[in-house]
Amino acid sequence: MRAGSDYLAALTDGRAVYLDGARVDDVRTHPAFAPVAHRVAELFDLAAAPGSGMTCQDPATGEVTNRVFVAPRSRADLAALREAILTWAHHNHGWVGRGPDHVGAFVSAFAAHPEAFDTDEHSFGANVVAYHRRLQREHRYVAYAIIPPQFSRAVTAHAWDDEPVQAAVVAQRPDGIVVRGAQMLATGGAVADELFVSCIKPLSPEDRDFALAFALPLATPGLRLHCRRPYAPAASSGYDYPLSTRYDETDALVVFDDVLVPWERVFVCRDVAGLQRQFFATGAHQLGNWQAQLRLTVKLQFIAGLARKVAQVNEIDRFPGVIEKLGELASIASLVESAVIAAEQTAEPDAAGLWRPGPRALYGAMGLQAELYPRAIGILRELAGGGVLQVPASVADLRDPAVRADLDRYVRSPKVDAEQRVKLFKLVWDVVGSEFGGRHQQYEMFYAGAPFVARNYAFRNYGFDAPLATVDAFLDSYDTAN
Ligand SMILES: Cc1cc2nc3c(=O)[nH]c(=O)nc-3n(C[C@H](O)[C@H](O)[C@H](O)COP(=O)(O)OP(=O)(O)OC[C@H]3O[C@@H](n4cnc5c(N)ncnc54)[C@H](O)[C@@H]3O)c2cc1C
């Protein structure tokens, strides 16, 4: 099993990560990336620890590996995968969205369906299987960028510009394809080992050049990451911003400056239909998003606990209106959790023996995520009131004896002293009000597609035939004579 230190050591590979007008020397030590890199390292250590329950032998490959890289081939496998995903999610309380288990799940499903990557022109199925084996052997952390940059959503990439804006195949050579353009939005990309690049948005037949999929090490020549503003370095302390300082994953635009992708790392090339097969015919979208929803259940439990704590500390928890709000939050958290459990219970093996979480429950929860998460945050915000701002500017105030005396006297609650109270409300602010918290709201609303896309998945996977037939039968059961 890979140790956290092995993962960290591999990050010094000369990758081109740009931030604030400069190239980052070493993501392991840079204040923007070091915290999340260490969180990921902890995940690898956790998995490798004796008794973690996260190690298993993949019967399909014979590899003894981390379970998060193994395709579930039985109900028991799915349950064990769930446990492994939850072990990691609990470690970060659901605040790391794109750990190695997310794209890991996608690749496991890809490899269970190599036929989805074979066409008359190319046999990329073997590449996918070999890549999965590599992931299992080397425990690679893969991030992904599978969305075209925002340019115009009225038309697709072929109609944008003569030069590719969206990542495109600009040449096929004996040694590989040449890729030019950009793709978004690689969460965790700066601290990942590898990047999976593709396009999940529907393309038209004229977009052939943009219909690609491949995986590359971050340190590939011509590959550049342009990161958004990081939150950890701006935070005054871990006490003031306990989440920003630990879990900021960073998101990045990825630029391909005529990047050579060796053929063995190509999964889809100039094949529009192949993109949809890759994500949807393989079960990858279901398995990957099931992982994401499991993680979300843990985060919602954390938010529910935080809201309950605020209500306790401010002694508002006996007011009926507050109980109602906490009840609504409990409903949101338990509905998402129930949907994830239901997806596991309704899972079925596909033709290749891959156990796919039930789509009706899974996409049902995803279709409401853009309302449920902001509502959960809204409840926490409402219960917290001005308490999140009735806190000193930073921990420095608590260290100053004169200021501290005022804080001890006036910023406290009957059963909670100033230090504990400020600590709690600063944590709440990092959830509801800090830049980190705002980014998380955007994340939960968009990570699996824009809200209208998620509802489209819910529409397509609900299975309207039976309810439609019920309504038709009911309508047929009476007429004007009744
Ligand atoms: C914090 C964060 C992290 C992310 N991490 C990743 C990652 O790790 N990897 C990755 O690949 N992607 C990532 N994404 C990108 C994410 O997948 C996209 O944001 C998502 O797919 C939506 O695409 P978009 O942002 O281009 O929105 P758009 O498609 O541009 O849509 C924006 C809005 O425009 C409207 N709209 C657009 N098209 C239509 C239409 N056809 N019909 C009706 N309304 C429409 C809707 O109101 C929609 O909400 C991340 C996004 C965020 C916010």
Side-chain angles (χ1 to χ4, degrees), residues 3-23:
S5 52
D6 300 331
Y7 152 74
L8 288 171
L11 293 177
T12 51
D13 54 5
R15 60 191 54 205
V17 174
Y18 290 87
L19 184 70
D20 286 335
R23 186 167 169 166

Side-chain angles (χ1 to χ4, degrees), residues 98 102 143-150 153-154 183-189 196 198 200-201 228 250-251 439-453:
R98 296 276 191 251
H102 183 67
Y144 68 7
I146 57 172
I147 299 294
Q150 282 189 345
R153 293 294 185 235
Q183 209 69 331
M184 73 176 201
L185 184 67
T187 298
F196 169 67
S198 189
I200 195 168
K201 290 210 180 206
R228 62 142 166 89
T250 80
D251 310 289
R439 181 262 176 202
H440 267 264
Q441 180 143 328
Q442 203 72 0
Y443 179 77
E444 301 299 353
M445 289 179 69
F446 280 92
Y447 75 74
F452 80 92
V453 174

Side-chain angles (χ1 to χ4, degrees), residues 390-438:
Q390 181 210 276
V391 290
S394 78
V395 69
D397 293 304
L398 284 155
R399 292 182 187 138
D400 178 273
V403 181
R404 178 70 186 244
D406 279 346
L407 297 176
D408 283 342
R409 175 84 183 91
Y410 297 113
V411 184
R412 63 194 166 103
S413 285
K415 299 192 189 75
V416 176
D417 67 16
E419 194 171 320
Q420 293 304 314
R421 190 186 153 85
V422 172
K423 189 180 193 183
L424 171 65
F425 280 84
K426 279 181 174 284
L427 170 58
V428 173
W429 186 246
D430 221 2
V431 175
V432 305
S434 70
E435 211 169 343
F436 175 91

Side-chain angles (χ1 to χ4, degrees), residues 195-317:
L195 197 63
F196 169 67
V197 180
S198 189
C199 177
I200 195 168
K201 290 210 180 206
L203 297 178
S204 67
E206 298 90 337
D207 293 312
R208 241 181 121 245
D209 290 346
F210 305 93
L212 45 70
F214 58 87
L216 281 178
L218 257 301
T220 300
L223 196 163
R224 298 191 286 269
L225 257 57
H226 296 285
C227 300
R228 62 142 166 89
R229 205 181 103 77
Y231 312 133
S236 39
S237 75
Y239 177 89
D240 294 312
Y241 292 93
L243 302 177
S244 308
T245 50
R246 291 176 195 213
Y247 304 125
D248 184 17
E249 289 171 276
T250 80
D251 310 289
L253 176 79
V254 187
V255 169
F256 303 89
D257 187 0
D258 285 357
V259 170
L260 174 67
V261 185
W263 280 115
E264 66 270 18
R265 282 177 163 271
V266 178
F267 306 155
V268 177
C269 178
R270 291 179 159 144
D271 176 9
V272 173
L275 293 181
Q276 295 299 304
R277 279 201 310 278
Q278 166 187 249
F279 288 114
F280 300 102
T282 59
H285 199 257
Q286 276 161 256
L287 201 61
N289 280 294
W290 185 62
Q291 179 280 335
Q293 290 293 304
L294 278 162
R295 184 241 5 126
L296 178 61
T297 64
V298 174
K299 187 178 183 182
L300 287 171
Q301 286 161 13
F302 187 87
I303 291 168
L306 202 50
R308 187 88 166 90
K309 179 94 183 158
V310 164
Q312 275 174 356
V313 167
N314 275 354
E315 300 194 337
I316 53 173
D317 50 354

